């Protein structure tokens, strides 16, 4: 078994543990987790957009003025 397979099995076992301990809380935790991932991804994409925005003359630039 490689590390990827082990991590997948551990993730499955963790999900089973959450469901067995308290199924209603597991659902809430899952929704909060995916909301956190979506919010973080949106903020990261906003960061990249602002970092590599164009200056109006269609030439790429950075917020640091490196280009």
């Amino acid at each position: 078994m490689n590390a990827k397979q082990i991590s997948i099995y551990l993730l499955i076992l963790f999900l089973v543990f959450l469901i067995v301990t308290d199924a209603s809380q597991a659902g809430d935790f899952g929704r909060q987790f995916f909301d956190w991932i979506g919010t973080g991804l949106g903020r990261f994409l906003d960061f990249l957009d602002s970092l590599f925005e164009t200056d109006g003359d269609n030439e790429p630039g950075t917020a640091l003025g490196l280009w």
Side-chain angles (χ1 to χ4, degrees):
M1 293 181 95
N2 60 19
K4 186 176 181 181
Q5 289 174 330
I6 292 172
S7 63
I8 290 173
Y9 288 130
L10 287 175
L11 179 63
I12 291 171
L13 284 174
F14 180 68
L15 290 175
V16 169
F17 169 75
L18 282 177
I19 292 170
V20 169
T21 24
D22 190 1
S24 63
Q25 287 298 88
D28 291 339
F29 179 72
R31 280 192 295 279
Q32 289 173 359
F33 175 74
F34 285 113
D35 183 47
W36 178 75
I37 292 291
T39 303
L41 181 61
R43 289 181 181 171
F44 180 71
L45 292 176
D46 289 343
F47 166 74
L48 287 179
D49 285 342
S50 67
L51 186 63
F52 297 108
E53 66 186 7
T54 58
D55 295 331
D57 53 359
N58 291 332
E59 290 190 24
T62 64
L64 300 175
L66 297 175
W67 293 11

